[in-house]
Amino acid sequence: MLEETLKSCRLTQSRWFENENPKHISFPAHGSSIVTCLLFSYGRIISASDDHSIHIYSPTTGELLHALKGHEGGIWALAVHKDTLVSGSTDRTLRIWDLSTGNCTHVFGGHTSTVRCLAIVKPEIVEVVKEGGEIVKERWPKRPLIVTGSRDHSLRVWQLPKPGEQEYKCFGTEEEDPDPKENPYHCLCLSGHDDAVRTLVARGKTLVSGSYDCSVRVWDIISGEQKWTLSGHTDKVYSVVLDVNRKQACSGSMDGMVRVWNLVNGQCQHTLKGHVSLVGLLGLSPSYLVSAAADSTLRIWDPDSGESRHTLAAHTGAITCFQHDEFKVLSGSDGNLKMWNIRDGSVVRDLLTGITGVWQVVFEGRWCVAASNKIGVTSLDVWDFGIADEVDVEEEVDINME
């Protein structure tokens, strides 16, 4: 199965670069509202908007499969695990949805301001230091968790409800927010930041959060212990990524800097200079760290040495979205969506041109989806770089992991 998956990756990669005419459809979505989040999972496009709605679309036809309604504010955070979707909103709640039915099964209250970022933490094998210094490998967390970050300065940890488990819906009242301690799925409240939590990432037992208080903090999401406060940025932190293999985290800030932090000793290993304005987006793959900024450039870095490899400088406006892997980068800015060769920094093609702006882009296996504004109308564009009988890489890997 692994050999077949790697073969599929190579074949799909060649098609991304060489296929001049991939299958392409475009359809309207969310009226004229901004698409704040975009996911592609198990053959479904999942888009969220500041119009309070979440839509599920078919990538082959553009058909609207489900419209998930219930939030009373814009949705600014999404995460998905198989048939379970988690959303966070300006209405201060966290909602859990069953994607097979489109039903909302749980509503979690407790944050006192916008839920700005979230992640689903799946169990995996991690190294744990026992008393006496012995290092053993254990599976953490024991069951999937949700971590949320809010403009109320706090983070919260919740158990991800399993399909069929007791439904729980807690809304609070106009006069009073709900007490999360009454929620059987609530685990921890992590306090320490002095301003809004803008970004987070979590794996195993490790959570990394970035805040408008200019700090990056590292937490143990099982015990709630704050392990490190990483200080060095001089302005708001907008993006973080976690590299568990190298035991480091990276952060991007409004100060224009990218910093690489050592999670063993809490020290800054590298300060990556080059951007001249807000570094709002970071991405990490095994061989590449990519940063994107309001200065209209993306930069490719060596995550080991911090050395700059390439500067991608063909956009004319702030980078609004991007995703990358070991071969390519897709990036959106005012008026266009570009594909780059990450290995030499060259432009491969323009996927979209002549549009007002690109809000989100995501690719998975053979599929690419972008959300953009076309003369005041919100549109989703879908490209299929595969062949009719090809199996998506994501599905193959998950089948192999079961």
Side-chain angles (χ1 to χ4, degrees):
M1 180 65 77
L2 178 58
E3 183 178 348
E4 292 175 359
T5 301
L6 294 174
K7 180 180 179 182
S8 177
C9 287
R10 289 192 294 269
L11 288 173
T12 302
Q13 188 58 48
S14 66
R15 294 188 189 108
W16 275 82
F17 281 8
E18 298 169 9
N19 186 351
E20 294 297 328
N21 295 294
K23 296 176 185 176
H24 175 223
I25 62 171
S26 182
F27 51 93
H30 298 283
S32 58
S33 299
I34 295 172
V35 174
T36 54
C37 307
L38 187 65
L39 302 174
F40 188 93
S41 176
Y42 286 90
R44 294 174 293 219
I45 300 168
I46 306 169
S47 60
S49 171
D50 64 352
D51 68 3
H52 307 184
S53 73
I54 302 168
H55 286 176
I56 315 298
Y57 294 96
S58 163
T60 55
T61 66
E63 176 189 1
L64 177 61
L65 304 176
H66 294 292
L68 311 184
K69 297 180 179 180
H71 277 299
E72 297 177 356
I75 293 98
W76 286 96
L78 278 186
V80 65
H81 176 54
K82 298 184 179 179
D83 277 337
T84 301
L85 179 71
V86 183
S87 57
S89 167
T90 60
D91 66 14
R92 303 178 294 184
T93 69
L94 185 69
R95 285 178 176 257
I96 291 90
W97 311 81
D98 182 342
L99 290 178
S100 65
T101 63
N103 294 330
C104 177
T105 57
H106 301 75
V107 181
F108 294 170
H111 282 296
T112 57
S113 187
T114 296
V115 180
R116 188 60 184 84
C117 47
L118 67 86
I120 294 175
V121 191
K122 305 170 188 177
E124 62 179 87
I125 302 299
V126 299
E127 290 185 351
V128 177
V129 180
K130 296 291 189 179
E131 292 185 11
E134 180 188 6
I135 298 176
V136 298
K137 292 187 176 181
E138 295 183 355
R139 188 174 176 86
W140 287 99
K142 297 304 183 183
R143 61 175 286 174
L145 300 174
I146 307 165
V147 183
T148 53
S150 171
R151 287 179 179 156
D152 67 10
H153 308 182
S154 75
L155 300 108
R156 291 184 181 271
V157 182
W158 324 73
Q159 289 182 350
L160 178 69
K162 297 177 181 178
E165 280 191 332
Q166 174 190 357
E167 294 190 5
Y168 183 87
K169 296 183 179 181
C170 182
F171 300 95
T173 66
E174 291 184 3
E175 296 79 21
E176 188 176 3
D177 287 301
D179 183 356
K181 294 179 182 178
E182 298 177 358
N183 184 339
Y185 297 101
H186 184 264
C187 301
L188 295 168
C189 179
L190 308 180
S191 301
H193 281 297
D194 298 320
D195 208 331
V197 179
R198 177 61 174 78
T199 179
L200 64 84
V201 63
R203 282 189 62 181
K205 296 180 68 175
T206 303
L207 164 66
V208 181
S209 58
S211 168
Y212 286 171
D213 66 10
C214 309
S215 77
V216 177
R217 294 174 189 252
V218 184
W219 315 79
D220 183 314
I221 59 173
I222 307 302
S223 67
E225 175 192 4
Q226 182 177 306
K227 300 174 71 174
W228 302 108
T229 298
L230 309 179
S231 301
H233 285 297
T234 57
D235 213 327
K236 298 175 180 178
V237 177
Y238 273 76
S239 50
V240 293
V241 291
L242 173 60
D243 191 334
V244 293
N245 294 321
R246 294 183 176 90
K247 294 182 173 59
Q248 62 188 30
C250 309
S251 56
S253 166
M254 190 177 276
D255 64 14
M257 300 297 175
V258 177
R259 289 181 175 268
V260 181
W261 308 91
N262 185 314
L263 297 183
V264 176
N265 58 24
Q267 299 300 305
C268 181
Q269 290 187 177
H270 307 292
T271 301
L272 312 184
K273 300 178 180 180
H275 289 297
V276 294
S277 59
L278 165 65
V279 182
L281 301 167
L282 288 177
L284 182 70
S285 67
S287 304
Y288 303 99
L289 170 66
V290 182
S291 56
D295 62 12
S296 78
T297 69
L298 300 99
R299 291 177 179 265
I300 316 295
W301 313 87
D302 184 315
D304 288 308
S305 66
E307 178 185 358
S308 176
R309 292 188 174 179
H310 305 290
T311 300
L312 313 185
H315 286 295
T316 57
I319 309 303
T320 52
C321 56
F322 87 90
Q323 185 179 336
H324 82 282
D325 58 17
E326 290 290 278
F327 302 93
K328 62 186 178 294
V329 181
L330 269 69
S331 59
S333 180
D334 289 345
N336 55 54
L337 176 67
K338 293 183 178 292
M339 184 194 306
W340 313 75
N341 185 327
I342 198 170
R343 297 185 172 187
D344 62 15
S346 63
V347 175
V348 177
R349 68 175 75 184
D350 286 341
L351 285 174
L352 287 176
T353 58
I355 55 179
T356 308
V358 185
W359 287 314
Q360 303 287 336
V361 65
V362 62
F363 63 80
E364 181 68 49
R366 61 197 267 190
W367 299 96
C368 176
V369 186
S372 65
N373 181 288
K374 299 180 180 178
I375 318 177
V377 177
T378 298
S379 296
L380 290 179
D381 284 83
V382 186
W383 294 266
D384 179 0
F385 286 87
I387 56 178
D389 60 350
E390 186 175 19
V391 178
D392 284 327
V393 172
E394 178 187 16
E395 294 179 3
E396 288 192 11
V397 171
D398 277 352
I399 290 170
N400 192 42
M401 291 288 287
E402 289 297 329

